[in-house]
Amino acid sequence: MSKKIIIIGATSGIGEELARQCVNKEYHVGGTGRRLERLEDLKKELGNYFYFAPMDVTDHAKSKQQLHDLIENMGGMDIIVLNAGISNYPASSITAMEQKIIDVNVSGFVQMFGEAFQYFKKQGYGQIVGVSSIASLFGSSRAAPYSSSKAFISTYMQAYRQRCNKMKEDITITDVKPGFVKSEMTEGKKGMFWVGETDKAVKQMLKDIEKKKAHSYVTRRWRFVAWLLKLTPNWVLDRM
């Protein structure tokens, strides 16, 4: 029986490629995003295995209902991938821009995570995959709200992983930490290295999801960077 996976944030980059690779493996895939035309294009490309719903995760009440409608339309959900996120946003001030990043990356994430957790708890099993970042391991002077929001995601998922273990819940929590991966989010940015091809990163990510790993570093070489960052003293990081 085909697994059913819902990808929150499937209109570009990692989320879009994940939808393709999952359909190629005969998953039933639900995709969401703010850009309806991109979802419609994916539907034309991927056919009957792909379902979609336009969604803005900052509209909490509406996005929750859209998630449940999508689950019903698909006939269930086994895995949810929380991939919606932004690194910058045009706004009238730095404060407004940073607040928008927090609204999407933190508040939107928490709302979707909570709905999925309650659904899986009632169902008796499931897997929640959160896409954080290598940036979650240190504060970046060039992207303070982004790196902080990704640190929140990782810590939040760790806490729920502990909760599932204590409550004996059959819910897997997978933290995916991408390094630099080709996408609209990284396009044109300077100072990047080891920029991974999207299809390669997603192939590794999907393999880790299927193995129900707690942590996934994509591409694999970023595991070394994560290890190095964890060993680096704060006084060094503060001068980076």
Side-chain angles (χ1 to χ4, degrees):
M1 186 175 180
S2 297
K3 284 190 175 181
K4 300 178 176 70
I5 183 170
I6 289 179
I7 304 166
I8 307 297
T11 55
S12 66
I14 287 174
E16 183 178 4
E17 179 60 23
L18 181 60
R20 290 193 181 97
Q21 292 195 21
C22 285
V23 166
N24 286 340
K25 298 186 77 169
E26 297 189 345
Y27 281 66
H28 288 278
V29 179
T32 78
R34 289 180 295 110
R35 291 170 287 191
L36 176 60
E37 69 281 358
R38 296 250 181 130
L39 294 170
E40 291 173 336
D41 288 343
L42 269 176
K43 176 64 176 177
K44 291 175 184 176
E45 176 187 346
L46 300 178
N48 292 335
Y49 278 88
F50 184 73
Y51 306 74
F52 69 88
M55 179 187 292
D56 180 350
V57 295
T58 63
D59 188 341
H60 298 161
K62 190 173 182 180
S63 62
K64 288 178 184 179
Q65 186 58 54
Q66 288 166 328
L67 173 61
H68 288 292
D69 289 345
L70 185 56
I71 293 171
E72 184 176 353
N73 191 23
M74 293 175 62
M77 175 176 70
D78 302 305
I79 306 168
I80 189 168
V81 179
L82 304 178
N83 179 60
I86 56 176
S87 61
N88 54 55
Y89 190 82
S92 58
S93 68
I94 292 176
T95 302
M97 179 270 289
E98 293 190 343
Q99 183 61 58
K100 184 64 176 181
I101 293 171
I102 298 300
D103 289 344
V104 174
N105 295 8
V106 175
S107 298
F109 174 88
V110 168
Q111 296 298 318
M112 290 293 99
F113 188 103
E115 289 301 302
F117 185 82
Q118 292 303 320
Y119 177 86
F120 289 143
K121 186 177 178 182
K122 184 177 180 180
Q123 178 171 266
Y125 68 91
Q127 183 174 9
I128 302 175
V129 180
V131 180
S132 62
S133 172
I134 290 294
S136 68
L137 300 175
F138 66 100
S140 171
S141 62
R142 292 179 294 179
Y146 179 78
S147 57
S148 300
S149 69
K150 294 301 183 178
F152 174 91
I153 288 172
S154 285
T155 304
Y156 192 84
M157 287 193 289
Q158 181 182 41
Y160 264 86
R161 196 177 299 115
Q162 292 174 358
R163 181 177 295 187
C164 288
N165 289 333
K166 289 180 179 179
M167 296 169 62
K168 308 297 183 185
E169 298 285 358
D170 186 16
I171 301 174
T172 301
I173 311 290
T174 300
D175 182 359
V176 178
K177 287 185 169 70
F180 295 125
V181 177
K182 286 185 179 180
S183 68
E184 291 179 14
M185 192 179 290
T186 59
E187 189 174 348
K189 290 191 175 181
K190 298 179 180 180
M192 296 189 300
F193 61 98
W194 287 352
V195 181
E197 294 295 331
T198 311
D199 58 344
K200 180 180 179 180
V202 170
K203 185 177 180 180
Q204 294 176 356
M205 172 183 170
L206 183 53
K207 183 180 291 186
D208 289 344
I209 291 171
E210 291 177 333
K211 289 182 177 179
K212 295 188 175 182
K213 287 192 173 183
H215 301 278
S216 172
Y217 297 94
V218 294
T219 53
R220 298 292 185 234
R221 63 181 69 184
W222 286 95
R223 185 186 289 115
F224 170 75
V225 176
W227 173 80
L228 189 62
L229 284 169
K230 290 174 182 178
L231 293 178
T232 303
N234 283 330
W235 67 267
V236 174
L237 295 175
D238 289 345
R239 286 163 175 75
M240 290 177 64

